[in-house]
Amino acid sequence: MCGLAGFVDSIGSLSDPAIVLEAMHRSIAHRGPDDSGTWFDRATGIGFAHRRLAIVDLSAEGHQPMLSEHGRFRMVFNGEVYNFRELRAALEPLGHRFRGHSDTEVMLAAFEEWGVEAAVRRFVGMFAFAVHDAKEGLLHLVRDRLGVKPLYYGWIGDGGRDRAIFAFASELKALLEIPGFERRVDRDALSSYLRFAYVPGPRTIYRGISKLVPGHLLTRRIPSGETTLSCYWSAREMALAGVNEPLQLSDAEAVEALDAHVSDAISLRMVADVPLGAFLSGGVDSSLVVATMQRLSSRPVRTFTIGFEDAAYDEARYAERVARHLGTDHTTLMLSPAETIETIPRIPDLYDEPFADSSQIPTFLVSRLARSKVTVSLSGDGGDELFGGYNRYFHGHGIWQRMERLPLGLRRGLASLADWMPERLIDTVGGAIRPLLPKAYQQKRPAQKVRKLALMARSTSGEAVYRNLVSMWLNPDHAVIDGHEPSDFIHEPELRALMPDMMRQMMYTDLLTYLVDDILTKVDRASMGVSLEAREPLLDHRLVEFAWRLPLHQKIRNGHGKFVMRELLARSVPRENFERPKMGFSLPIDDWLRGPLREWAESLVEPSRLAREGFFRPESVQAELRRYLSGLAGHPRIWAVLMFQAWVDRYRPVG
């Protein structure tokens, strides 16, 4: 796990490329504290910078930028190719010789033997890299299939693309070090950010800069500057193949097949020359990962959980039960509100693009805890999207089927009534009647459920239901000055026609959007912010392909998701230790914003400041703030504005 950056300055715009490269890699030093390197070729104008977090082969033989055995390819690489030993065994009989034991060296040999795209198709891992092919005069940028590792690119400077500097990096902050970067906000991307609490790819918050799409390879020809984008792994084709060619397995056979896939993915990700552990929340996903690790390990696995004083947000007790049963070497850190709040000013540095999933805070804290004892930590990310874990997949679908039978006017009237009720009142009433309700209907935060029901009631289609359920602001253009929300957010009507049901349509959209730009972005920045490598075994692309071939009834059954995962986990952990309502990784943000953080929040959205900066309409933001402080609304909408404003303080963008 590392950080990379670089550029192509084909017309010599930079007076001192070496200084720029040094500045770029210093800006992402947290991604790789163990080693650094730069390289610049004056003939082509190509420059590479690298920061190394040494995980496999800790020697100097793993130094980057790295040159291939015969000098054709030079690369900077972020991530891991887990099957590098298998690839090395295939390459050695073909005449390739290796100096060290790193996966980077094996990748370069694979490029020489099979070519870049053909080699990438053989890789099992998480990766983002830039490789220069000196023989063909090409620069390739490549991102892994699921988008676990980030890679940004774009053109910087005036005079059109043929005169601009082409630049790329693991994080946006490295691109800011290139002279001429304007920091101009893409207002359309800002509208999308307000809706989703993240900027959906391939856009970024800056005009002219993009995220490389997962599963894609960008090739730039040197020196002409001709740039092409090609897909080497298609999530769309994978999903359609899974739907059209489902596996015909009994439940027992499906569980056995899942066990084989999970065990293989985890065993590959347990290879490291540094201490290794795992995040453990006590939920199905992380418990299955830890249970499998413990079965494959000869010693207790190190596991990590953070706890909170407020029991409504604390999962530590569940994690501790699982840890005791499995016999892991477990660490729990109980955090006070003051300790947690102290991390909020760090958020803009960690997420150098506006990002407003409030679980970013506990994710950073558990990463910091893990880094105090290990360098690599496995996580359970991906289980919800692949095996139907989110409530919106099954509850949302079922409720919508019944709700759409009602006249739209009646539904909208009921939604308006729900909007009128303060959230604190709903939670108070819900708490009073909770003991009288069946267990399946007991909710810890009923106001959130009522708000979601109101959003569904206003919807006119299943697609609108999904969009409303995942939206923070329903009309973000009303708040963003000159904002025009893009209409291309996974707009594939022909695909929806081919997908047999609303549930798989939602799961597919999450796979391409929410998983990549929220969940994986959150984990990457939080973990790399403390120089910790996070590995996601459930996102092994072979496991993803298997999951999409499973029939829906082996994922969602009897109103619960992750059927086969639960059956597999029950072999190792008693059901009472993990069978409970989904909590999520949340915090008492509402209590903080209405209490110790209120002054900070109000200062960020002060009307004269908003008017001066010119991004948001002050009246729209102030109206939302009043709704929030009065208890009529929850924190997500105002939190998105606050996170953008905190980002503005840190990076000083221009309109």
Side-chain angles (χ1 to χ4, degrees), residues 1-2 31 34 52-59 79-80 82 101-103 126 269-276 371 374-377 531-535:
M1 186 73 68
C2 305
R31 298 189 72 93
D34 299 326
R52 184 185 183 201
L53 177 62
I55 303 295
V56 175
D57 189 352
L58 309 185
S59 74
E80 303 284 350
Y82 300 114
H101 303 281
S102 72
D103 54 348
M126 56 178 187
R269 286 158 180 80
M270 291 178 69
V271 174
D273 295 333
V274 293
L276 176 144
R371 188 61 176 94
V374 300
T375 311
V376 175
S377 186
S531 304
L532 175 76
E533 173 166 299
R535 296 178 173 179

Side-chain angles (χ1 to χ4, degrees), residues 39-74:
W39 166 80
F40 179 70
D41 178 39
R42 194 165 296 279
T44 60
I46 297 177
F48 284 169
H50 189 262
R51 298 294 311 205
R52 184 185 183 201
L53 177 62
I55 303 295
V56 175
D57 189 352
L58 309 185
S59 74
E61 298 297 344
H63 177 79
Q64 296 184 46
M66 186 181 289
L67 189 66
S68 65
E69 180 183 7
H70 299 107
R72 175 176 173 178
F73 296 97
R74 190 183 303 268

Side-chain angles (χ1 to χ4, degrees), residues 239-283:
L240 287 178
V243 169
N244 294 326
E245 303 168 15
L247 295 168
Q248 303 295 327
L249 302 174
S250 68
D251 288 347
E253 290 170 334
V255 172
E256 287 294 335
L258 176 63
D259 188 16
H261 279 287
V262 170
S263 297
D264 181 47
I266 289 177
S267 65
L268 283 176
R269 286 158 180 80
M270 291 178 69
V271 174
D273 295 333
V274 293
L276 176 144
F279 302 132
L280 179 60
S281 69

Side-chain angles (χ1 to χ4, degrees), residues 15 19 72 154 184 202 314 316 380 441 528 569 580:
S15 59
I19 290 179
R72 175 176 173 178
R184 188 165 298 279
D314 181 42
Y441 293 94
M528 292 309 297
L569 179 57
R580 64 180 190 279

